[in-house]
Amino acid sequence: MSERSGVAASHISYMVRGHGNPTLATLESLADVFGLSVVELLAADSTSRDKS
């Protein structure tokens, strides 16, 4: 994912652990990897937390 998005693996790991706030540019890069809009990416995150 890091290579495809251009976002450093350490930065992705940091965000996955719930630290820091990604910039809009970072969210856009990550959303592009999955073929989603930023809104869809964030909605998917909130949906997965609701089911846990």
Side-chain angles (χ1 to χ4, degrees):
M1 182 165 48
S2 174
E3 195 172 298
R4 291 181 63 198
S5 68
V7 178
S10 59
H11 189 57
I12 293 171
S13 175
Y14 189 75
M15 290 183 296
V16 167
R17 291 190 316 258
H19 302 288
N21 294 308
T23 64
L24 180 56
T26 298
L27 290 173
E28 289 172 335
S29 295
L30 295 173
D32 283 346
V33 170
F34 296 106
L36 301 171
S37 69
V38 172
V39 171
E40 291 169 319
L41 180 69
L42 295 175
D45 183 53
S46 116
T47 301
S48 67
R49 276 192 252 159
D50 290 344
K51 292 181 181 178
S52 338

